[in-house]
Amino acid sequence: MPWTMNDYPSSLKNLDRPVKKKAIDIANSMLDDGYDEGRAIPIATEQAKEWYSNASKQEVNEFMEEEDPKSRDGGKSSSDPELMEKAELVEAHEDGWAVRAKSAKKPDVVYDSKSEAVERAKEVAEKKGTEAIIYKKDGTVEKRHSY
């Protein structure tokens, strides 16, 4: 049974609401990928805390507006722990410039300006120790920044 904001492991009860929600989301994804509950909970908790410490207020607000985690569909989500090791991409998006982890299906955040997106991608990539790959509007690589 997937965890929800109303039904979650007791070890998550003292977390701030956004961290708890993210931890539930990550843990549900990990369970879909075959992780044991005993491993998924502490890993998801650490990943959620790291996400929260690196996330902008806008990212946290947008995440909190999303539907509460409740179903595990077996697909990869943007909270997949494996994505923590992937490069950050900056790509043209219908609403501006998107920042997403390589292999993620949807962007973490979309900015109006490319410079804001590049700044955020570099910041996240540096904290993850990966790289930021910046694309031009035509889809070709403009620049790579390794950390």
Side-chain angles (χ1 to χ4, degrees):
M1 181 174 138
W3 290 307
T4 67
M5 289 297 286
N6 296 321
D7 181 25
Y8 51 83
S10 60
S11 61
L12 304 180
K13 71 180 178 183
N14 293 323
L15 297 176
D16 290 336
R17 189 166 170 76
V19 177
K20 183 186 309 179
K21 182 177 178 183
K22 189 65 152 180
I24 291 167
D25 191 32
I26 294 169
N28 283 343
S29 178
M30 291 178 72
L31 292 175
D32 285 339
D33 289 341
Y35 280 79
D36 177 66
E37 283 184 17
R39 283 188 62 215
I41 295 166
I43 293 170
T45 301
E46 281 306 307
Q47 297 265 330
K49 287 177 180 178
E50 183 176 339
W51 167 81
Y52 187 71
S53 70
N54 294 328
S56 68
K57 281 187 175 185
Q58 179 183 351
E59 286 175 282
V60 173
N61 289 340
E62 287 174 0
F63 178 71
M64 292 307 292
E65 288 174 8
E66 291 177 9
E67 189 174 314
D68 283 349
K70 55 183 150 188
S71 63
R72 299 189 336 234
D73 60 12
K76 297 272 186 198
S77 77
S78 63
S79 60
D80 189 327
E82 292 174 16
L83 296 180
M84 291 300 288
E85 298 170 7
K86 304 289 184 182
E88 289 296 308
L89 309 179
V90 174
E91 305 169 306
H93 185 276
E94 62 188 26
D95 296 326
W97 289 90
V99 177
R100 71 174 174 91
K102 190 173 185 176
S103 302
K105 290 182 179 179
K106 65 179 189 173
D108 294 323
V109 66
V110 178
Y111 292 96
D112 291 332
S113 77
K114 185 175 183 179
S115 61
E116 288 177 300
V118 169
E119 185 178 317
R120 180 64 184 154
K122 286 179 177 179
E123 181 182 301
V124 173
E126 185 174 7
K127 289 184 181 185
K128 291 180 1 181
T130 61
E131 68 177 334
I133 304 172
I134 315 307
Y135 288 89
K136 297 178 185 174
K137 216 169 191 124
D138 67 6
T140 60
V141 175
E142 178 179 318
K143 197 175 242 184
R144 291 176 178 263
H145 301 276
S146 295
Y147 299 95

